[in-house]
Amino acid sequence: MAKNSSFQKITIFATELFTRHQKTEIYRNTMAEPLEVKELDQVVVRFSGDSGDGMQLAGNIFSTISASVGNGISTFPDYPADIRAPQGSLTGVSGYQVHIGTGRVYTPGDRCDVLVAMNAAALKTQYKFTKPQATIIIDTDAFGPADLKKAQFDSDDYLLEMGIDPDRVVACPMTKMVKDCVAPLGIDNKMALKSRNMFALGIVCWLFNRDLELVFSFLRNKFAKKPQVAEMNIRVVQAGYDYGSNTHASVPATYRIESTNKQPGRYMDITGNKATAYGLMAAAEKAGLQLFLGSYPITPATDILHELSKHKSMGVITVQCEDEISGCASAVGAAFAGALAATSTSGPGICLKSEAINLAVIDELPLVVIDVQRGGPSTGLPTKSEQTDLLQALYGRNGESPMPVIAATSPTDCFDAAYMACKMALEHLTPVVLLTDAFIANGSAAWRLPKMSELPEIHPHYATAEQKYKYTPYKRDPKTNVRYWAIPGQEGFQHILGGLEKDGETGAISTEPENHDHMVLLRYDKVQKIEVPDLEVEGDKDDAELLIVGFGSTYGHLFSAMQELRKKGHKVALAQFKYINPLPRNTKDVLLKYNKVVVAEQNLGQFRAYLRIRVYGFTPEKFNQVKGQPFVVSELVSAFEKILHSPKQ
């Protein structure tokens, strides 16, 4: 990657949003009766509809404009697992939940304050995610007899059947109003109806005093090559906003959520997958290397490949291979050739890549392996989220094949985790596994764009000039056990690597028992000598009655549960692991300090088992769920209270 290329180029759109922001006009229509404007600390909005109704786009726009004005956000896209379920069916409903707040937001929220239900099936399946007094926005044109039958309602009075108070429902004939709105543009009905989601977005923007200029800017940017489509969507958003303003949309007040304690800088709404891609690019630029990604499309990791393929101007090379092992093998070749190499996949792909990953282990090449975990086993739940690949990442290869493992804790932390994975790989000449999952990969949060000067230095462990004509591939730094990296083509550094065991002195093929034992221990010790930050304890770290332990993406939910318990008067602390292998040096001291410890994870106890292997005498309680959905904070609080009140086993 060119030294003077700027990582900040990728932030142009975020900068435009930031600079265009102006104070919202609360009363845009002076003919309407003024409403009370209430200040809120936080709110949760859930957009839901058929897979073709554009709920992900509507939710993404709402989260983007909220992040650009300084709100904290956390999002949760909830896709159906079907490739394309029948329209209007219960299994085909797609949801997108957005939690916005005045300060940092840790989770997408257990339940929503506002539910947008674009059809009968959406109302039927998504109502369970609402709070008791939630406002519900529906398209009445999508609640006809046929729609109700598909959604398995027993009567035409669907609100009564579900026990919903009609006073909480904003019932709007969106389909008809959208057709009327775009009629002057001469657009056919099929195309026009694709913008129904924008009408619903307009109502939500009115309800929460969002500046429509930010929405219009987003749409003009997204549809820059299709100006008529942009104009259509802009008209429809404005129509939805005006509908809310002119009718007051059956609600007693509109709401404003201000920003507080915001660190100065430029912000954007970023998904975990995009943050991962940016972290890789930033690390390549910092190290002065070209970035290579060898990959094969797989849900939910494909967006990393898509994003990196957009940045050829920054020297990024992406190769979409014919299968998983070739994607990884091409990355191993790129690492041998001197590039910052990465490969991205999900759990099934990790299985298929394992042989090529092991080649990088024995050759001690820098490679970043990104595993965006999803529901399994087999094809399982490809659009849902779990933490079930942990032991596979640690041990899922033949032979003794130690690899560092890092688990990102949030969508924005995917940037930092990817950057540190690259730094670790290049400075310690080892493949590194980066664990994310569908929840944080597809979810998003408000991200402050870093400056390159703020990021840690990266110093690849190159062979030295003194080694010229004396170089052997497994000569090591005696302090770290890291071998020296020679790039093919360098005069005086000719060498051979391969899958057979090598002599630690000469680099020649060796089957000697003592040498193999020596090399296995060297590879293990090299990983264990990597310095990682100490484990931090939050909350009542000095006198906690209960220590909550988790890893990776569950951080927001576990932190929120800890805070709820502390509000109730309990002494509770949280230790969230980001570095899994090697573990932080103070792990044993932290885990054995507290009388009661619970390990909470979205699997059947893999991290708990790993900690018990590593920390002698550690016997924690456990909380395990494997639902394909994020934790629910209220359920965590209830479970942890039972542990607090129970006698120590």
Side-chain angles (χ1 to χ4, degrees):
M1 185 171 293
K3 264 291 189 182
N4 54 0
S5 66
S6 174
F7 166 67
Q8 305 297 349
K9 288 179 182 178
I10 63 178
T11 67
I12 292 175
F13 178 55
T15 305
E16 289 177 354
L17 286 182
F18 183 80
T19 56
R20 286 183 185 222
H21 173 59
Q22 299 174 343
K23 270 289 185 181
T24 303
E25 292 288 340
I26 296 173
Y27 306 116
R28 296 195 54 163
N29 190 325
T30 58
M31 300 299 292
E33 179 185 351
L35 287 178
E36 179 186 1
V37 180
K38 294 183 177 180
E39 296 281 350
L40 296 178
D41 292 330
Q42 56 185 334
V43 71
V44 179
V45 181
R46 189 176 183 92
F47 296 84
S48 64
D50 195 76
S51 291
D53 285 340
M55 293 296 95
Q56 309 299 322
L57 177 59
N60 179 246
I61 294 175
F62 186 66
S63 63
T64 295
I65 63 176
S66 298
S68 68
V69 300
N71 292 141
I73 67 166
S74 177
T75 71
F76 173 49
D78 193 9
Y79 304 99
D82 307 53
I83 293 176
R84 187 64 174 93
Q87 190 170 8
S89 65
L90 296 175
T91 59
V93 175
S94 179
Y96 192 102
Q97 189 156 301
V98 184
H99 185 183
I100 62 176
T102 56
R104 183 175 177 183
V105 173
Y106 291 92
T107 77
D110 288 356
R111 298 184 181 276
C112 63
D113 301 280
V114 176
L115 172 65
V116 175
M118 298 298 288
N119 61 17
L123 181 64
K124 185 75 171 285
T125 60
Q126 306 298 298
Y127 181 65
K128 63 187 176 184
F129 297 115
T130 64
K131 294 178 180 176
Q133 298 304 316
T135 297
I136 301 170
I137 302 170
I138 66 172
D139 179 4
T140 54
D141 291 334
F143 281 76
D147 303 304
L148 295 173
K149 184 177 180 180
K150 283 184 182 179
Q152 299 178 18
F153 280 100
D154 296 325
S155 67
D156 292 340
D157 195 342
Y158 48 89
L159 296 181
L160 177 63
E161 185 174 329
M162 296 193 68
I164 300 174
D165 182 356
D167 290 341
R168 295 194 288 116
V169 179
V170 179
C172 171
M174 292 188 203
T175 300
K176 180 180 183 303
M177 297 187 76
V178 167
K179 289 179 180 178
D180 293 342
C181 174
V182 302
L185 298 177
I187 295 174
D188 64 83
N189 285 341
K190 184 177 180 180
M191 176 62 71
L193 292 181
K194 291 183 178 180
S195 65
R196 285 193 315 142
N197 58 335
M198 294 296 103
F199 195 96
L201 176 63
I203 297 176
V204 173
C205 287
W206 167 78
L207 187 60
F208 294 104
N209 283 285
R210 300 287 99 166
D211 186 352
L212 289 192
E213 283 303 318
L214 297 175
V215 181
F216 299 162
S217 177
F218 185 104
L219 292 170
R220 291 190 184 104
N221 182 277
K222 180 175 179 60
F223 299 110
K225 296 181 181 179
K226 299 178 180 179
Q228 186 182 38
V229 175
E231 178 61 24
M232 174 186 71
N233 282 287
I234 288 170
R235 275 176 170 254
V236 174
V237 170
Q238 184 70 65
Y241 190 101
D242 291 341
Y243 175 85
S245 179
N246 292 333
T247 66
H248 291 176
S250 303
V251 297
T254 58
Y255 305 93
R256 183 190 295 115
I257 299 176
E258 297 290 359
S259 303
T260 60
N261 302 321
K262 185 180 172 76
Q263 186 179 359
R266 296 172 178 172
Y267 286 78
M268 66 183 294
D269 173 23
I270 195 167
T271 65
N273 274 340
K274 182 175 284 191
T276 299
Y278 288 1
L280 296 175
M281 286 191 290
E285 185 168 328
K286 197 74 169 181
L289 297 175
Q290 194 160 29
L291 175 61
F292 177 94
L293 179 79
S295 189
Y296 179 78
I298 183 172
T299 302
T302 308
D303 285 342
I304 299 171
L305 171 62
H306 289 170
E307 183 60 38
L308 288 176
S309 68
K310 300 175 184 177
H311 298 288
K312 293 179 182 178
S313 63
M314 295 182 67
V316 178
I317 298 175
T318 55
V319 177
Q320 180 177 320
C321 297
E322 66 271 20
D323 53 40
E324 292 284 2
I325 193 170
S326 59
C328 187
S330 68
V332 172
F336 177 69
L340 171 53
T343 187
S344 56
T345 188
S346 189
I350 291 291
C351 296
L352 296 167
K353 291 179 189 289
S354 61
E355 185 177 359
I357 293 172
N358 242 1
L359 179 60
V361 170
I362 198 168
D363 286 347
E364 299 184 51
L365 288 169
L367 172 69
V368 177
V369 181
I370 303 158
D371 178 4
V372 186
Q373 300 170 93
R374 70 187 210 183
S378 188
T379 307
L381 302 173
T383 63
K384 307 302 181 182
S385 186
E386 292 176 5
Q387 294 183 302
T388 45
D389 293 349
L390 177 61
L391 292 183
Q392 179 177 225
L394 288 165
Y395 302 118
R397 297 165 296 280
N398 68 291
E400 291 290 345
S401 52
M403 288 172 56
V405 177
I406 300 174
T409 59
S410 70
T412 55
D413 186 57
C414 286
F415 175 89
D416 299 308
Y419 187 92
M420 294 309 295
C422 295
K423 178 178 170 67
M424 193 177 288
L426 291 169
E427 293 184 345
H428 295 274
L429 274 289
T430 178
V432 179
V433 177
L434 171 59
L435 290 176
T436 70
D437 56 44
F439 168 56
I440 58 172
N442 292 324
S444 65
W447 181 55
R448 176 183 169 272
L449 280 62
K451 297 178 181 178
M452 288 299 295
S453 59
E454 298 172 344
L455 300 175
E457 293 295 322
I458 297 178
H459 302 288
H461 199 251
Y462 290 123
T464 64
E466 291 76 15
Q467 295 173 323
K468 190 174 183 179
Y469 299 116
K470 297 180 290 183
Y471 175 78
T472 58
Y474 293 106
K475 183 176 179 61
R476 300 175 186 273
D477 183 315
K479 292 182 179 179
T480 63
N481 280 355
V482 179
R483 78 176 190 89
Y484 293 91
W485 192 19
I487 308 304
Q490 290 180 281
E491 184 182 354
F493 292 89
Q494 294 87 346
H495 64 285
I496 296 173
L497 297 177
L500 292 171
E501 185 65 280
K502 305 295 192 303
D503 184 277
E505 295 296 325
T506 66
I509 294 172
S510 172
T511 59
E512 288 298 319
E514 296 302 323
N515 176 75
H516 179 56
D517 183 62
H518 176 64
M519 294 296 281
V520 166
L521 289 172
L522 281 175
R523 288 188 287 263
Y524 175 82
D525 288 340
K526 179 182 73 169
V527 172
Q528 294 307 308
K529 286 184 175 182
I530 297 173
E531 293 289 338
V532 300
D534 277 351
L535 179 63
E536 293 186 8
V537 180
E538 299 178 89
D540 301 302
K541 58 183 178 181
D542 295 324
D543 57 351
E545 307 167 66
L546 175 68
L547 175 69
I548 302 168
V549 173
F551 78 94
S553 64
T554 57
Y555 170 73
H557 292 84
L558 296 181
F559 180 87
S560 299
M562 177 194 72
Q563 294 292 65
E564 289 298 316
L565 288 166
R566 295 178 73 199
K567 288 177 184 177
K568 292 186 173 188
H570 297 293
K571 295 285 188 179
V572 183
L574 170 66
Q576 191 78 7
F577 283 81
K578 177 176 178 176
Y579 295 93
I580 309 297
N581 191 34
L583 289 167
R585 298 284 186 259
N586 65 334
T587 295
K588 179 178 179 180
D589 293 339
V590 169
L591 296 184
L592 297 183
K593 176 181 177 179
Y594 301 93
N595 185 45
K596 288 185 178 180
V597 182
V598 58
V599 180
E601 49 190 318
Q602 292 181 312
N603 55 51
L604 294 182
Q606 296 183 23
F607 189 50
R608 179 175 180 267
Y610 174 64
L611 290 176
R612 293 190 68 183
I613 292 172
R614 293 291 185 177
V615 181
Y616 179 75
F618 182 52
T619 55
E621 302 287 342
K622 60 182 179 179
F623 180 86
N624 306 112
Q625 282 186 352
V626 197
K627 296 182 177 181
Q629 296 285 327
F631 283 143
V632 175
V633 174
S634 59
E635 293 178 359
L636 291 171
V637 170
S638 177
F640 296 160
E641 279 190 308
K642 290 180 180 178
I643 295 172
L644 279 163
H645 295 147
S646 65
K648 171 70 175 175
Q649 298 296 318

